């Protein structure tokens, strides 16, 4: 049977960050509340001329440089921080990256779950037509009101994945477990740029969804806990992945030492801990973190993915790492992006993230985004992007 999965994967984040040490000093709270309590050290902060489209372009461009971009047959763009209520963010991206006109583009939305939905849809499309080469994007900017419990869990990022037949990184296995429940644990009405969340309730719903999706996964695939080598969870903050794995271990009554527990989960948390929440991209930033930070050969290992989107929809699925995967990883670029970020003061963070006019009709943005693509301005509600001369 033809293998289908992720052939190339790359992520991008903003050029700036706010340290949780700076945040704790401003809030006059103990740093351990963030470092230990939620497991976060930094959060990437997008400047005013950075949005999900420019982040997505920065994530996707290195992939397109390695392939014949004219073969891209679809762009599936997952986000919950969309830039337009009608036009998909993927079409802005399509133009910015000069993708072929013989291409379908659509936007996916259901909170943080949409990235997994787009990946599964792409996998199904390739299985139906092995000629398809699909660019899957998961991109978000996590933003909460100042002085709310969510403020410490902000961040931003975009992941680009090329889904094709005979993938070089991971084959996505058939069968998955899924779960939906109509709840209000996190939401963002159309007139708001910041999300609202009931944090404790959301954690409870997340863990309940995990148990249901896992049970369905087992029934559908026959795979067991012991069949999985590494576990990737949706990570709104890294402590959540620890809670999730403890819940799963308890549910299956597995005998797992602390060393095994850490080996199964910690490598997928390294980047999220210093990038922050990226909503739909978060699960896949975790997968890239796993690929980049496990030094043993992962070929043949089974990796599980648990995607959770508040509201809520969840899915548990798995894949097999392919031989030679390490030859096509872009680890150096990921590390370079993270290391080159500049720290912000708390006031600079406010200026970049919270002091902008909510929905400007007309604006020209000063260039603060140092990446290869930026949002140049908005003219009569129309967004304009540009490739900068300061490309990396």
């Amino acid at each position: 049977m033809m293998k289908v999965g992720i052939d190339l994967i790359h992520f991008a984040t903003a050029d700036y960050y706010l340290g949780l040490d700076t945040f704790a000093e401003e809030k006059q709270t103990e740093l351990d509340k963030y470092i230990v309590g939620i497991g976060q050290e930094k959060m990437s902060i997008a400047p005013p001329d950075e949005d999900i489209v420019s982040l997505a372009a920065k994530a996707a461009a290195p992939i397109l440089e390695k392939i014949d971009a004219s073969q891209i047959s679809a762009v599936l763009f997952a986000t919950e921080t969309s830039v337009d209520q009608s036009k998909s963010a993927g079409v802005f991206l399509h133009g910015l990256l000069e993708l072929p006109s013989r291409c379908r583009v659509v936007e996916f939305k259901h909170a943080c779950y949409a990235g997994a939905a787009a990946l599964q849809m792409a996998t199904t499309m390739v299985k139906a037509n092995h000629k398809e080469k699909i660019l899957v994007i998961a991109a978000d900017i996590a933003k909460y009101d100042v002085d709310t419990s969510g403020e410490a869990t902000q961040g931003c990022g975009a992941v680009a994945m090329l889904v094709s037949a005979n993938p070089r990184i991971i084959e996505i296995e058939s069968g998955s477990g899924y779960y939906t429940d109509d709840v209000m644990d996190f939401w963002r009405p159309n007139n708001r740029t910041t999300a609202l969340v009931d944090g404790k309730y959301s954690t409870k719903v997340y863990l309940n969804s995990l148990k249901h999706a896992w049970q369905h996964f087992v029934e559908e695939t026959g795979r067991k806990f012991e069949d999985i080598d590494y576990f990737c969870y949706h990570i709104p903050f890294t402590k959540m992945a620890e809670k999730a794995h403890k819940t799963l271990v308890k549910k299956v009554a597995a005998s797992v030492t602390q060393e095994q527990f850490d080996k199964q989960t910690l490598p997928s948390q390294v980047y999220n801990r210093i990038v922050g929440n990226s909503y739909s991209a978060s699960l896949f930033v975790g997968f890239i973190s796993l690929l980049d930070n496990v030094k043993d050969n992962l070929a043949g290992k089974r990796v599980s993915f648990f995607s959770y989107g508040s509201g809520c929809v969840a899915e548990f699925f798995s894949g097999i790492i392919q031989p030679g995967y390490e030859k096509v990883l872009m680890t150096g670029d990921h590390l370079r992006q993270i290391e080159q970020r500049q720290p912000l003061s708390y006031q600079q963070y406010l200026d970049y993230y919270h002091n902008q006019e909510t929905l400007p009709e007309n604006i020209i943005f000063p260039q603060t985004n140092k990446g290869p693509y930026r949002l140049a301005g908005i003219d009569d509600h129309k967004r304009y992007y540009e490739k900068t001369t300061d490309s990396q």
Side-chain angles (χ1 to χ4, degrees):
M1 181 177 293
M2 179 179 64
K3 294 181 178 178
V4 176
I6 300 171
D7 187 60
L8 291 170
I9 188 168
H10 179 256
F11 96 88
T13 191
D15 302 308
Y16 303 91
Y17 74 87
L18 179 66
L20 270 299
D21 51 353
T22 302
F23 186 83
E25 184 177 353
E26 173 66 26
K27 304 296 181 182
Q28 297 185 334
T29 54
E30 294 293 328
L31 180 57
D32 280 353
K33 177 180 178 181
Y34 309 111
I35 301 295
V36 179
I38 61 173
Q40 292 300 126
E41 296 178 14
K42 299 174 181 177
M43 46 186 170
S44 284
I45 299 297
D49 57 340
E50 182 92 272
D51 68 5
I52 55 167
V53 175
S54 60
L55 280 171
K58 185 158 60 169
I63 289 179
L64 299 181
E65 290 171 1
K66 296 180 182 299
I67 64 169
D68 179 358
S70 68
Q71 294 183 348
I72 295 295
S73 54
V75 177
L76 308 185
F77 196 120
T79 186
E80 60 178 298
T81 46
S82 187
V83 296
D84 193 282
Q85 293 283 47
S86 178
K87 182 175 178 177
S88 78
V91 172
F92 287 109
L93 178 70
H94 179 277
L96 196 53
L97 296 179
E98 301 179 340
L99 292 173
S101 56
R102 288 186 172 180
C103 181
R104 296 146 294 172
V105 180
V106 68
E107 187 168 305
F108 282 62
K109 184 183 80 172
H110 182 85
C112 303
Y113 169 68
L119 174 60
Q120 292 286 31
M121 177 67 79
T123 301
T124 301
M125 291 169 69
V126 175
K127 286 181 177 177
N129 177 5
H130 71 275
K131 294 180 182 177
E132 295 260 19
K133 291 187 182 298
I134 299 177
L135 186 61
V136 172
I137 302 291
D140 270 307
I141 296 174
K143 187 182 292 187
Y144 300 90
D145 286 341
V146 173
D147 293 331
T148 63
S149 61
E151 188 184 7
T153 65
Q154 299 172 120
C156 65
V159 171
M161 297 173 272
L162 179 67
V163 177
S164 71
N166 303 312
R168 286 173 286 180
I169 292 181
I170 188 169
E171 175 195 6
I172 301 299
E173 295 183 290
S174 296
S176 68
Y178 29 89
Y179 177 77
T180 291
D181 191 14
D182 182 4
V183 296
M184 292 296 288
D185 60 326
F186 175 106
W187 62 104
R188 184 170 69 84
N190 287 341
N191 63 335
R192 291 182 63 96
T193 58
T194 52
L196 302 168
V197 60
D198 184 341
K200 290 183 178 178
Y201 180 50
S202 190
T203 297
K204 181 179 178 181
V205 178
Y206 178 118
L207 298 177
N208 184 57
S209 300
L210 169 61
K211 289 186 280 190
H212 282 283
W214 167 261
Q215 186 61 42
H216 190 207
F217 171 78
V218 171
E219 292 170 6
E220 288 291 312
T221 68
R223 296 173 202 130
K224 305 182 296 294
F225 182 90
E226 293 75 17
D227 297 328
I228 299 170
D229 299 289
Y230 296 92
F231 295 76
C232 292
Y233 293 95
H234 167 56
I235 303 177
F237 49 91
T238 63
K239 203 71 173 182
M240 191 68 235
E242 181 181 331
K243 292 176 186 288
H245 202 53
K246 284 182 177 177
T247 297
L248 189 58
V249 167
K250 182 178 180 181
K251 177 173 176 58
V252 303
S255 178
V256 178
T257 66
Q258 186 62 49
E259 182 180 1
Q260 291 170 323
F261 189 100
D262 291 347
K263 183 178 180 181
Q264 291 169 347
T265 59
L266 289 186
S268 64
Q269 299 173 27
V270 176
Y271 290 163
N272 301 70
R273 190 175 178 89
I274 52 178
V275 169
N277 195 359
S278 53
Y279 291 163
S280 64
S282 168
L283 173 64
F284 304 103
V285 172
F287 177 51
I288 292 171
S289 179
L290 172 72
L291 293 170
D292 287 353
N293 288 287
V294 174
K295 302 309 176 189
D296 296 338
N297 189 347
L298 291 172
K301 300 296 185 183
R302 175 172 282 125
V303 178
S304 70
F305 300 82
F306 175 65
S307 176
Y308 173 75
S310 291
C312 70
V313 181
E315 184 164 357
F316 198 105
F317 59 100
S318 62
I320 302 294
I321 302 291
Q322 298 301 293
Y325 73 97
E326 71 277 5
K327 298 175 185 175
V328 295
L329 298 183
M330 302 187 208
T331 307
D333 193 60
H334 299 147
L335 294 174
R336 186 163 49 252
Q337 278 191 71
I338 290 171
E339 292 169 357
Q340 289 181 348
R341 290 180 303 168
Q342 291 185 8
L344 297 175
S345 67
Y346 189 79
Q347 184 58 52
Q348 288 173 317
Y349 145 72
L350 290 179
D351 292 341
Y352 277 7
Y353 230 47
H354 291 289
N355 287 349
Q356 300 298 314
E357 184 181 351
T358 303
L359 296 169
E361 180 178 344
N362 292 287
I363 189 170
I364 297 173
F365 290 107
Q367 185 169 351
T368 47
N369 178 352
K370 299 177 182 179
Y373 303 93
R374 65 183 289 268
L375 173 63
I378 301 173
D379 183 8
D380 195 20
H381 292 293
K382 300 172 185 173
R383 303 175 80 85
Y384 292 94
Y385 296 89
E386 64 182 14
K387 184 173 183 178
T388 70
T389 54
D390 190 27
S391 300
Q392 293 176 342

